[in-house]
Amino acid sequence: MGNIFWFSLHFTTESIRRVEELTGKTVPAYKVDLLDTEGLRNLFKKHKISCVMHFAGYKAVGESCEKPLLYYKNNVAGTVNLLEVMKEFQVYNMIFSSSTTVYGTPEYLPFDENHKTGNCSNPYGKTKFMIEEIMKDLFHAEKQWNIIFLRYFNPVGAHESGRIGEDPLGTPRNLLPYVAQVAVGKLKELKIYGNDWDTPDGTCLRDFIHVVDLAKGHVSALRLVEKGCGLKIYNLGTGTPYSVLDIVNAFEKASGKKIPYIFADRRAGDLESTYCDRSLAKAELGWTTQYDLDKICVDMWKWQSNNPYGYIKK
C-alpha cells in the first residue's frame, strides 16, 4: 500500500511516538491546518502520495449547534482546500471519514446506504453531508477520481495495549471518554441528556464500534480505492444499538467503578436512535466487526486507567 504519513492540526508527539513503538514503523507527522494552502502544498511536494484518508474536522454535535460558523469554515472550507491541492498534484484517491449524522432523522432503521441524506439535525451533520455532496459533484465532473465515503456510527474504545487511546482537548463532548474520565475520578459525574426518549430505558440508542474494527475498515477501503472503484459508500458500525445506560453498566463492569450520573434536558441536535445495516461493507469490502461492547469498555478502561491525564503526565 506504500508509505503512510500523518498530517493534522491536533496530535501530540507522544501519541505518534507510541504508535511507532507499537508498530516498529516510523510515522512522519506534520501539524498543518487544512485551511493553510501553502502548508498543504509543501507536504504534497515532499511526499509521493497515492491516496488521502481525510479524518480532519470538528466533531461535537452540541458544540456545532453553539458555533456553526466554526464548523462550516473548518470542516467544509478545509475540505475544499484539500481537494484543490490534491487535484493540483494529481492525487485522485480519497477515503472520507463521514458520519451517520448525514442520514438525519431516521425514516427507517437500521440505516442502509440508500437511506435519504441531508435532513440533518445539527450543523456537524450538515458539514458531513455538504462535503459528501461536494465530492459527489467532483466525481461526476471529473471521472478520474476514486472516492469512498465511510459513514461511521460511534467509534469508541482504544488499542488493547492501553498505550494509545482518545485524549480529548478539555472536557469530553462524547459519551465514552466522559464516562471513562468519571470512572478514573477526573470528572465528578456523567450528565445524561434526556431520560424520556421512546426507548427501552428512556435514554438514546447508538451503534458503538470499536476503533480497531473501524481502522480495519479503512484498510479494506484502501485496498479497494487503489484498484479503482469510482464512487462508493459504506456504513461502518455493528448494527446493534445500545443505550446510554447500557454503556454506563458495561463500563462499570469493565472498570469495577461506580459511574455516578444525573439526568438533564434533551440536548439540541440529538436523535433518539441510530444504528446501521452493515451488509454492504461485508459484501464488497469483506469487512465485519470483531469486538463487542464489553471489549470496547475493557480496552477503554485500560487506556484511561493507565493514562488518567491522557498523553500528558502529571
Side-chain angles (χ1 to χ4, degrees):
M1 293 184 186
N3 293 325
I4 296 173
F5 72 97
W6 177 270
F7 62 95
S8 173
L9 186 59
H10 297 299
F11 67 81
T12 66
T13 53
E14 176 61 15
S15 64
I16 296 297
R17 188 191 70 77
R18 293 189 190 187
V19 170
E20 292 179 332
E21 172 190 291
L22 289 167
T23 62
K25 305 284 186 181
T26 300
V27 182
Y30 307 88
K31 285 191 176 183
V32 180
D33 193 321
L34 291 188
L35 293 168
D36 177 4
T37 303
E38 285 308 308
L40 288 176
R41 283 187 178 132
N42 289 336
L43 283 178
F44 278 77
K45 288 174 185 176
K46 189 174 292 187
H47 295 271
K48 184 174 176 57
I49 299 170
S50 62
C51 178
V52 172
M53 289 188 184
H54 177 15
F55 306 99
Y58 294 133
K59 66 179 184 66
V61 167
E63 183 183 55
S64 76
C65 295
E66 299 162 4
K67 303 175 182 179
L69 289 181
L70 177 69
Y71 273 67
Y72 290 124
K73 182 174 182 179
N74 184 77
N75 294 7
V76 180
T79 298
V80 171
N81 219 38
L82 173 61
L83 291 168
E84 288 176 339
V85 174
M86 288 177 66
K87 182 177 176 180
E88 181 181 338
F89 286 85
Q90 299 183 343
V91 179
Y92 296 114
N93 293 337
M94 164 66 83
I95 297 172
F96 174 55
S97 166
S98 192
S99 168
T100 173
T101 54
V102 301
Y103 295 121
T105 303
E107 294 185 350
Y108 58 85
L109 287 171
F111 286 125
D112 59 31
E113 290 83 354
N114 294 319
H115 190 285
K116 183 176 72 175
T117 59
N119 186 27
C120 307
S121 63
N122 55 75
Y124 164 68
K126 290 175 184 175
T127 67
K128 293 293 188 180
F129 169 71
M130 290 175 182
I131 291 168
E132 284 196 4
E133 292 300 297
I134 289 166
M135 290 190 189
K136 286 178 184 177
D137 288 341
L138 179 61
F139 170 76
H140 291 307
E142 303 174 9
K143 295 295 187 182
Q144 67 268 41
W145 286 85
N146 295 293
I147 300 172
I148 295 179
F149 302 151
L150 297 178
R151 291 176 177 162
Y152 301 177
F153 279 67
N154 292 74
V156 284
H159 192 268
E160 64 182 1
S161 66
R163 297 288 291 152
I164 52 177
E166 187 171 359
D167 184 13
L169 298 173
T171 302
R173 290 181 176 268
N174 297 102
L175 176 61
L176 254 297
Y178 205 110
V179 170
Q181 290 193 13
V182 171
V184 84
K186 190 174 178 183
L187 295 173
K188 178 183 176 182
E189 61 192 6
L190 171 68
K191 185 182 288 187
I192 299 176
Y193 296 98
N195 63 344
D196 58 350
W197 300 93
D198 186 16
T199 62
D201 63 20
T203 64
C204 293
L205 296 174
R206 293 292 181 267
D207 186 339
F208 295 94
I209 176 175
H210 198 293
V211 289
V212 173
D213 282 329
L214 190 71
K216 291 178 179 178
H218 287 78
V219 174
S220 298
L222 182 58
R223 292 191 178 109
L224 179 60
V225 82
E226 290 189 337
K227 293 176 182 176
C229 64
L231 177 66
K232 295 283 188 178
I233 303 169
Y234 300 106
N235 288 332
L236 294 187
T238 66
T240 301
Y242 291 101
S243 74
V244 176
L245 291 179
D246 288 333
I247 294 296
V248 170
N249 293 334
F251 209 88
E252 287 183 340
K253 175 183 173 184
S255 65
K257 303 288 185 179
K258 187 68 178 174
I259 309 295
Y261 61 83
I262 59 172
F263 291 111
D265 292 338
R266 295 183 183 187
R267 183 174 54 180
D270 275 343
L271 294 173
E272 183 172 274
S273 180
T274 63
Y275 58 100
C276 79
D277 179 341
R278 60 180 181 173
S279 58
L280 187 63
K282 182 177 182 179
E284 296 191 5
L285 295 178
W287 172 89
T288 190
T289 54
Q290 295 180 296
Y291 302 124
D292 60 12
L293 182 60
D294 287 340
K295 174 66 170 171
I296 284 169
C297 291
V298 165
D299 289 345
M300 187 77 174
W301 176 241
K302 188 171 185 180
W303 152 255
Q304 193 69 72
S305 59
N306 288 336
N307 305 270
Y309 296 98
Y311 291 109
I312 300 173
K313 295 180 179 179
K314 288 192 177 184

